[in-house]
Amino acid sequence: MAAALSRALKLPGKKGSELGEYDPLTQADSEDESEEDDLVLNYPRNGLGRGNCMGTGTSELRGSRTGRLVGDEEEAEEEEEDDDEWRERLPGKKRQEREEKGMQYWSQRETNRDEGVEDGGGLGASGGPGLGVSASADPDGKKAKVRGAIRAAFFLVPLVCAMLVVLLCAFLVPCQHGELDKRPQWEKELGDHVGGVTPPPLALWDVDNDSVEDVLIGVTQKSNNSHLSRSVGNNKEYSVVALSAFSGEVLWRRVLRDPVESIQCGLQYEAHPSPLPAGGAALRALPNSAIPLSAQRDRASGPVCLLIESAHLTAVNGTTGKKLWSVAPGEIQSQAVSLPDLQGDSVPDLLIATLPADQVSDLSLLLLSGLTGALLGHPVTFNLTTFNVSGKLIGPLFHETQLGAYYIIFGLGTVEAVSLGDIYTRATGKTPISPGLRLKDPGWEKLRKTNSSLIHISSGTEQVEFLVPLVAGLCNNHNSLDSISNLNSSRSDWVLVCGKLSSKLSVLREKDAQTEWTLTSSAIHSRPAPGQFNDDGIPDLLIQKSGAPRMRKVQVVDGASGRSLWETEFICPRLDLEGTSIMTSGQSAFLFWAGDPVRPPKNLTKTTVAPGAVQAMPVIRKLYMLHPAYPTILLELASTTDTILTAAVSYQEPQKDASYITVSSRPTSGLGPGSRVVKSTSLRAAITAGQIVRLGESSTAGVPVRPGVFEINKFFRRLTFKNH
């Protein structure tokens, strides 16, 4: 009766041979689950409960330990029957494997229970009743915890060290490029200038080996040194100053006897000291050109810069400013021209133009050793007045034809050419050994006049004002002696500007010196700036010419045909400063200055002006950027009332940026000439703060927010600049 009732109610308990048998293995489990048993008994199932026909029998079974054991055994038997039915449904090998695993599981379970009874008498390793846990399980758990802790330590320690190294490099180690980003611009006052507002000589070159072009500038100031003033004969001090491209600080300063007229850098020497010229004849002719041993050591430690005064040519170490050699060849009229090596000492030699000593000829060309400054032979004189034109000195410039022949282009209001081999032979009396010096180009030689060594190139009667190689970006490094830039410019076509009141712009083919095209326009005020405006691969020209009264027209001319690609008019900035082109991704960005006069303020008290005195209205001069991608848009980068005297572009290759260097004259109180100010502006920083000006609107009006402004700003801010 009890067994049947237990099956019906599924009471916990273990089936035994005797109903009252005591099983210590299930004692703890039965006591822990007493509440669950009570819930099962109290729940009415199949009509059996407290108040049913069974009466109190059910209550007695609920309180009986034997009943719980019988119910437990019955439940175990039902679970085994369910397992057997599940195994029978599994086919083949999987069914057999699961049966074996099940047998092992139940046999291991019974074994553990038996061991728990025998070893602990119902007490586990911890003394708990009926837990049946082996005593050897606790040491294994401790070992597993120790191993886990060691593995975690091996993982976390390198991770923490790596994070510390990254933080150290990111925040504690100083970075030079970071310093450059912190200083997008700087300004340096060089003191009050003496000598008018003539453009000072300016050159850019990396003199401190930091991959950024530094600034070298000539300065004329009042002298505070009484001894120097007496030796020079006036109260002026002339010097050359090298400024750091990062901060504008003075790297070195060299005082000169006369004002410097030109600064050129880029002459490269070999690392090993070279011997002096054999025989010493050239050194006896020019004793100042002898190089001491200390200068030979300085020569190999950095770039070489040439400082050209009115009658002296000095080579200095670009890094330290120390003198390497100096010569006095006469009254110098031109910059130095870098030539191929004429002596076999692996150093480019030089050519300069001077006034002849006989005062009969018009011009002399001198060959100088680039290593020592010694004169190679004697001056070669030319008479250029046979063409009845005298005027501005053109060149000299070095040119290499397509056949590899070397020519020197120069002139006085005209454009002439002479073979470099002829100059070398006339100067030294020797036959040139270099193939390029002996070679003559038939296309050029057919232009030679009878009984003359000169080749006449310009055929017009008007004076030549500018002669520029048709090379994009050349306006940025025309003071450079770098062999690569000179090689590019010496193999190009030539841009010729003739006339003052009205100008003729033309392009000469380098292969035969013939005119490709000619454009007649109003007077062109500055050198054309070659750059890539369209995508035909031929550099185009940015020119600035006269427009309507008090107006200035800026125009871009196609370098292939001479037709106008872009033009607009501006209020005249009272400034004759050449434009600049900077190469971006496939095309050039053009920079130029234009401006508006400042409107006189209203409601001012009328003042009396002395007779004959004129009040000068200040002029606002603005720097604009033009890019071919947006020809109807100009980006205003800067504005100033200073008088810009000269400008150049310094490239920063690691940052893909460029700095716009300006030298200006800033008015001061009183009637003095003002102070010279050198300013460096990062173009990318200027673009970020620049203002958009749409052509056709007032140049002084602000630009309202309208569709397209976001896209234009995004385009300009993504511009990167690179050297040509």
Side-chain angles (χ1 to χ4, degrees), residues 260-475:
V260 62
E261 297 181 356
S262 179
I263 304 174
Q264 296 174 270
C265 294
L267 189 63
Q268 298 293 333
Y269 285 164
E270 295 291 334
H272 59 80
S274 302
L276 298 179
L283 299 182
R284 287 192 295 271
L286 293 172
N288 291 334
S289 64
I291 302 179
L293 293 178
S294 60
Q296 289 195 16
R297 288 191 295 268
D298 292 335
R299 181 178 56 199
S301 61
V304 177
C305 295
L306 299 180
L307 311 180
I308 301 178
E309 305 169 61
S310 59
H312 291 82
L313 175 62
T314 305
V316 299
N317 185 301
T319 303
T320 62
K322 294 182 179 180
K323 184 176 72 174
L324 302 178
W325 51 261
S326 179
V327 295
E331 295 185 38
I332 303 176
Q333 300 295 308
S334 70
Q335 293 184 337
V337 180
S338 178
L339 302 176
D341 180 21
L342 303 177
Q343 304 179 90
D345 55 6
S346 300
V347 178
D349 294 308
L350 304 172
L351 181 144
I352 58 173
T354 64
L355 290 180
D358 58 11
Q359 297 183 354
V360 176
S361 301
D362 296 322
L363 200 67
S364 295
L365 298 181
L366 280 70
L367 298 177
L368 301 176
S369 169
L371 180 64
T372 64
L375 179 64
L376 303 180
H378 58 81
V380 179
T381 60
F382 295 92
N383 191 352
L384 303 176
T385 58
T386 56
F387 301 102
N388 298 322
V389 178
S390 61
K392 182 179 179 180
L393 175 63
I394 302 300
L397 299 170
F398 174 73
H399 179 73
E400 180 181 359
T401 66
Q402 291 183 347
L403 297 180
Y406 299 153
Y407 288 89
I408 299 298
I409 300 176
F410 68 108
L412 290 174
T414 61
V415 179
E416 318 295 335
V418 62
S419 172
L420 181 57
D422 292 345
I423 297 176
Y424 181 82
T425 300
R426 291 176 58 183
T428 63
K430 302 177 181 179
T431 302
I433 58 176
S434 172
L437 295 178
R438 297 195 304 265
L439 186 62
K440 302 293 180 65
D441 193 317
W444 284 60
E445 292 297 323
K446 69 181 182 181
L447 301 176
R448 186 189 300 272
K449 299 300 180 179
T450 305
N451 300 324
S452 175
S453 60
L454 293 176
I455 299 174
H456 187 56
I457 295 178
S458 63
S459 58
T461 58
E462 296 179 332
Q463 292 189 10
V464 176
E465 297 294 329
F466 303 104
L467 180 65
V468 181
L470 189 59
V471 178
L474 182 67
C475 52

Side-chain angles (χ1 to χ4, degrees), residues 160-229:
V160 173
C161 294
M163 293 177 62
L164 292 177
V165 170
V166 170
L167 293 176
L168 181 66
C169 295
F171 298 102
L172 300 182
V173 177
C175 181
Q176 190 175 21
H177 299 325
E179 293 295 325
L180 182 62
D181 295 336
K182 294 177 182 178
R183 299 174 182 178
Q185 67 179 22
W186 52 264
E187 188 175 286
K188 181 76 174 181
E189 274 199 43
L190 299 179
D192 293 338
H193 176 75
V194 179
V197 291
T198 57
L202 176 68
L204 302 177
W205 197 260
D206 181 16
V207 298
D208 54 0
N209 299 320
D210 57 1
S211 301
V212 180
E213 294 173 323
D214 302 297
V215 181
L216 291 89
I217 183 175
V219 180
T220 302
Q221 295 174 303
K222 291 183 178 180
S223 176
N224 297 323
N225 190 334
S226 59
H227 175 72
L228 180 63
S229 299

Side-chain angles (χ1 to χ4, degrees), residues 98-174:
R98 286 173 172 79
E99 288 179 355
E100 293 177 358
K101 290 181 180 179
M103 295 294 294
Q104 294 176 0
Y105 170 77
W106 290 110
S107 61
Q108 184 177 1
R109 179 179 177 184
E110 294 296 333
T111 304
N112 291 339
R113 286 185 177 181
D114 296 340
E115 290 177 355
V117 174
E118 293 177 1
D119 295 340
L123 295 175
S126 59
L131 292 177
V133 180
S134 175
S136 61
D138 191 39
D140 293 340
K142 290 183 179 179
K143 292 180 180 179
K145 292 181 180 179
V146 171
R147 286 195 297 268
I150 294 175
R151 291 173 181 172
F154 273 105
F155 173 75
L156 294 176
V157 171
L159 182 61
V160 173
C161 294
M163 293 177 62
L164 292 177
V165 170
V166 170
L167 293 176
L168 181 66
C169 295
F171 298 102
L172 300 182
V173 177

